[in-house]
Amino acid sequence: MFESLLIANRGEIACRIIRTARRMGIRTVAVHSRVDRRALHVAMADEAIEIGAAPARLSYLDPARILQAAKASGAQAIHPGYGFLSENAGFAEGCAKAGVVFVGPPAAAIRAMGTKDSARRLMQLAGVAVVPGYDGAVQDPETLAQEAQRIGYPVLIKAVAGGGGKGMRRVNDAGGFSEALAGARREASAFFGDDRVLIEKYVASPRHIEVQIFGDAAGNIVHLFERDCSLQRRHQKVIEEAPAPGMIDDFRAFVCDAAVAAARVVHYQGAGTVEFIADASQGLRIDRVWFLEMNTRLQVEHPVTEAVTGLDLVEWQLRVAAGQRLPLLQAEIKLQGHAIEARLYAEDPARDFLPSPGRIQVLRWPQREGLRIDAGVENGGDVSAHYDPTIAKIIAHGADRDEARSRLVAALTQLRVAGPASNAEFLREIAASPIFASGQFDTHTIARDFAACHAVQKIDASHVRLGALGLFRETWLRLHVPGRALQAGWKDAPGDASMSIIANDQSFSCRIVHDGTPSSAIAHYEGASQMADFLEGETRGNIVIAAGCVFVFDDCGVVRMERASPGLSGDHSADGDGAVRAPMHGKLTAVFVKPGEKIARGQPIAIVEAMKMEHVLAAPVAGVVAEATAAGAQIAMGALVARIEFSEPQTEMDNG
Ligand code: ADP
């Protein structure tokens, strides 16, 4: 086995690969771009090498920089994860030339399956049914239109070099063909530099079913059963599961055999996935399922297969890459229970799922039996606008589908994430729906039945009252820093104040009556009132104060509230000595920084929990952490949590 492994990726998959490598006693080398210096995968690896600027083509997508890092670190193998260079045959060859093992299939297999037309032709040779269609070399619009007519509408135009749903257009009738063709071609040449297309019959009631396969250098090939990935948004997977709901023995045998046959034609080695599309309008039938494509890498959704087989697919990949035989024979691979994965993204359902990058201000993972969370960021970390907006994958495993499903719903209900917008609530709605429970869905289900849950969350009067109390408390704590004079404009006298709150771009005015302390405050709004002891009655974590905002979590998601004019604001710790002190008595539940670490102004330093409320302490200045207290302790008001030494404004811009 290798002694050292470079992971040419980032985010959750890099972290996941590091975990397995570490368990196997392999030294891990992370690579990262300039904006990823503080990323989780960098912190987790034994060694980290900065390889370039933020845009992926200047870092994660640049084979030369990655090979250079491998050389510099003495890494014996490179795991590409998925995306980036994972299906780049040239990179696989580059690794071989540089004497580093590429953890993936042979370059020839990547190439053979790399374009949809060549994959279709190979599969036909192997006797695997492909979707009725046209994948010929003649590409003039007249020929293509004739072929579409012959196949019969509706048809799907696909970029031959496509991926990720790009360059794909559904056409319902001959009238729409030429415009759709032009659109698909434009997108195909923009994304893949290749405007060739193929045409497929558009499958009615489509279900996406894929089979995990594995091969080794000795020519052994096995399958690890199927996954269902039919819950998609715009051809992108949202929720995946294993096994497929409603699966029947002959259908499973049919697709698994076809997948193994597909792998065999290309002398496959390592992990791969053979994707099929089934017309499920009459249930799963072996005469209504066709090969779609083969992905010559590990898939995002591989954890559901790991859950139901009890195997570690990354370990298998490393073993195969090191020249070992597959650890198990086909007959030894057993399917147990059911697993479902939901992809948690920093994206805004209310804004058409636009990515919503930014700093994670609240992140609390559910703690449940049968739950696995593959995260790429941690609390206080950034979701960068440069890369995909994955926060984590949440995988629930149970004895059967119902148990896995209810565990997933419970997990999504317990999850607390805020800062960037996320699709958490959208995932919960789907997972908890009767449609999902029934197992009767296809790739159109999300668009058809879940359009309504993209709405902006409604603010009700109780949100406003809770928000006002939380913000009052936040301001009070910020101004009452031990050892510092109270800010001008604030009197610790009983009062009757009005507070303006902004939530979802609307503003609300709430009256607060208090005797000078937050615990005495009562918020009056729309004829009802709420006392400050609301916190006692709240389930832990329903209200979180972080970064000067109050986040209220409830059944419908999260509402973020901030003061309209922070009239009483003042940066409580920006008092020049770089000390970050506890603003109240409480428990230091988390400390995010270590001595020696470089930090930016505003970066979360620690969380103090008191009165069932969390208070996130942010760095008052940019600099280097000189000292930091360990998490877990009870601390007194005014106690030092961390000290930051100022540093010159630096680096981010120096190197361009
Ligand atoms: P990409 O490589 O761009 O992801 P795929 O060929 O894997 O494209 O297809 C992505 C998704 O598009 C599938 O999971 C399915 O939902 C839909 N799709 C693909 N081909 C068809 C088809 N012939 N009929 C209906 N839906 C299809």
Side-chain angles (χ1 to χ4, degrees):
M1 186 44 65
F2 319 109
E3 279 164 21
S4 58
L5 174 72
L6 182 143
I7 297 102
N9 215 300
R10 63 182 301 286
E12 61 87 17
I13 188 57
C15 299
R16 188 255 165 277
I17 294 165
I18 291 171
R19 274 194 295 274
T20 290
R22 174 145 312 147
R23 182 174 58 69
M24 295 173 71
I26 301 170
R27 185 172 70 93
T28 54
V29 181
V31 292
H32 65 92
S33 69
R34 205 161 293 149
V35 288
D36 267 347
R37 281 176 189 165
R38 278 191 291 271
L40 187 57
H41 76 284
V42 172
M44 279 177 69
D46 296 313
E47 187 183 337
I49 299 179
E50 185 168 314
I51 52 170
R57 74 194 149 77
L58 302 176
S59 47
Y60 300 104
L61 270 173
D62 183 344
R65 288 170 197 251
I66 287 173
L67 288 172
Q68 213 174 356
K71 193 168 172 205
S73 61
Q76 295 163 316
I78 297 181
H79 196 310
Y82 38 69
F84 293 137
L85 295 170
S86 60
E87 291 180 287
N88 183 320
F91 179 62
E93 284 160 350
C95 288
K97 270 200 209 100
V100 188
V101 175
F102 174 75
V103 180
I110 301 179
R111 245 182 219 119
M113 291 296 181
T115 56
K116 293 185 195 291
D117 58 337
S118 109
R120 275 174 62 97
R121 287 197 288 265
L122 268 171
M123 286 309 99
Q124 283 168 288
L125 284 180
V128 175
V130 299
V131 184
Y134 171 78
D135 51 32
V138 184
Q139 290 277 319
D140 63 274
E142 295 71 36
T143 306
L144 293 171
Q146 274 165 22
E147 288 296 331
Q149 200 68 47
R150 176 186 61 80
I151 296 160
Y153 287 97
V155 298
L156 195 60
I157 304 174
K158 286 185 180 181
V160 158
K166 301 275 179 345
M168 206 144 86
R169 292 282 191 287
R170 176 184 165 154
V171 196
N172 291 330
D173 51 50
F177 187 81
S178 62
E179 196 189 324
L181 176 64
R185 282 208 153 134
R186 264 197 310 277
E187 214 166 285
S189 50
F191 280 96
F192 314 110
D194 178 348
D195 75 350
R196 288 174 307 144
V197 296
L198 56 83
I199 303 171
E200 281 180 1
K201 174 83 188 160
Y202 192 87
V203 175
S205 193
R207 262 179 75 179
H208 176 117
I209 293 182
E210 58 183 37
V211 177
Q212 176 71 55
I213 59 98
F214 246 100
D216 66 19
N220 300 303
I221 293 181
V222 296
H223 69 77
L224 276 65
F225 307 102
E226 82 284 354
R227 295 183 285 259
D228 187 306
C229 312
S230 302
L231 285 171
Q232 305 182 348
R233 233 197 102 255
R234 301 213 178 129
H235 305 303
Q236 302 274 359
K237 298 163 186 171
V238 176
I239 292 184
E240 303 104 334
E241 59 187 298
M247 183 50 85
I248 39 177
D249 288 347
D250 72 329
F251 189 93
R252 173 174 289 145
F254 184 82
V255 286
C256 290
D257 287 351
V260 169
R264 221 175 275 295
V265 248
V266 289
H267 307 288
Y268 203 77
Q269 292 174 42
T273 295
V274 183
E275 298 187 332
F276 297 90
I277 189 150
D279 171 353
S281 50
Q282 296 170 29
L284 294 175
R285 286 177 39 170
I286 60 171
D287 58 346
R288 302 226 170 159
V289 58
W290 303 275
F291 169 86
L292 204 53
E293 65 167 351
M294 180 169 186
N295 290 324
T296 52
R297 55 172 163 84
L298 194 67
Q299 303 265 110
V300 176
E301 58 274 21
H302 76 276
V304 293
T305 298
E306 297 188 317
V308 296
T309 57
L311 303 171
D312 181 332
L313 269 54
V314 171
E315 177 184 339
W316 276 43
Q317 286 189 294
L318 294 172
R319 291 197 181 286
V320 168
Q324 299 180 12
R325 296 176 78 98
L326 291 177
L328 296 176
L329 300 170
Q330 186 69 64
E332 296 170 315
I333 302 168
K334 299 273 188 274
L335 188 64
Q336 253 197 356
H338 200 102
I340 310 176
E341 171 182 284
R343 300 188 185 192
L344 180 66
Y345 290 127
E347 61 182 17
D348 192 349
R351 294 193 171 79
D352 199 24
F353 292 87
L354 230 65
S356 170
R359 180 147 299 167
I360 307 266
Q361 289 163 335
V362 178
L363 187 59
R364 196 178 295 143
W365 297 121
Q367 308 277 329
R368 296 248 150 200
E369 200 188 330
L371 213 58
R372 162 174 167 182
I373 293 173
D374 280 17
V377 281
E378 54 189 344
N379 201 5
D382 288 319
V383 176
S384 168
H386 291 283
Y387 315 110
D388 88 274
T390 307
I391 297 173
K393 302 181 309 203
I394 300 175
I395 305 109
H397 184 206
D400 54 23
R401 187 168 190 270
D402 271 344
E403 188 173 57
R405 196 174 48 79
S406 52
R407 283 180 170 165
L408 181 67
V409 174
L412 291 167
T413 307
Q414 227 183 36
L415 171 70
R416 295 285 174 263
V417 56
S422 89
N423 65 343
E425 182 49 27
F426 176 65
L427 294 173
R428 201 185 64 83
E429 292 244 8
I430 298 170
S433 68
I435 293 182
F436 185 58
S438 75
Q440 307 278 328
F441 46 76
D442 60 35
T443 62
H444 303 306
T445 299
I446 287 188
R448 198 175 43 220
D449 300 304
F450 293 93
C453 47
H454 309 176
V456 180
Q457 197 189 343
K458 270 235 175 66
I459 314 278
D460 62 30
S462 82
H463 285 127
V464 176
R465 289 188 288 265
L466 291 178
L469 289 171
L471 289 166
F472 179 74
R473 181 185 167 82
E474 194 273 339
T475 310
W476 191 91
L477 289 170
R478 196 145 38 78
L479 300 181
H480 285 69
V481 180
R484 283 190 60 202
L486 270 183
Q487 294 259 322
W490 181 273
K491 289 187 203 69
D492 267 351
D496 186 339
S498 140
M499 179 173 299
S500 292
I501 298 174
I502 305 254
N504 286 359
D505 301 327
Q506 304 166 58
S507 87
F508 305 87
S509 184
C510 185
R511 199 159 66 88
I512 301 256
V513 179
H514 62 97
D515 74 0
T517 61
S519 55
S520 70
I522 301 173
H524 297 273
Y525 182 71
E526 286 197 347
S529 58
Q530 171 80 62
M531 301 205 314
D533 61 3
F534 70 93
L535 293 172
E536 299 302 328
E538 284 299 323
T539 330
R540 208 183 124 81
N542 280 3
I543 295 168
V544 180
I545 300 184
C549 300
V550 172
F551 299 91
V552 178
F553 292 86
D554 62 20
D555 287 352
C556 303
V558 55
V559 173
R560 174 183 188 274
M561 284 173 284
E562 58 191 322
R563 298 193 59 168
S565 68
L568 298 168
S569 77
D571 212 37
H572 73 270
S573 5
D575 52 0
D577 70 347
V580 179
R581 294 178 187 280
M584 59 195 137
H585 296 289
K587 188 169 176 203
L588 194 58
T589 53
V591 176
F592 303 124
V593 296
K594 288 197 261 329
E597 190 176 330
K598 251 192 218 154
I599 53 166
R601 182 165 188 274
Q603 191 179 330
I605 298 289
I607 294 182
V608 177
E609 198 177 289
M611 284 181 69
K612 301 201 169 158
M613 218 144 94
E614 284 192 342
H615 198 84
V616 178
L617 309 183
V621 289
V624 175
V625 178
E627 44 183 318
T629 311
Q634 289 291 331
I635 52 166
M637 182 154 126
L640 187 76
V641 173
R643 187 183 301 283
I644 296 150
E645 264 161 21
F646 297 87
S647 56
E648 299 300 316
Q650 52 160 352
T651 52
E652 229 69 38
M653 283 180 303
D654 314 350
N655 328 350

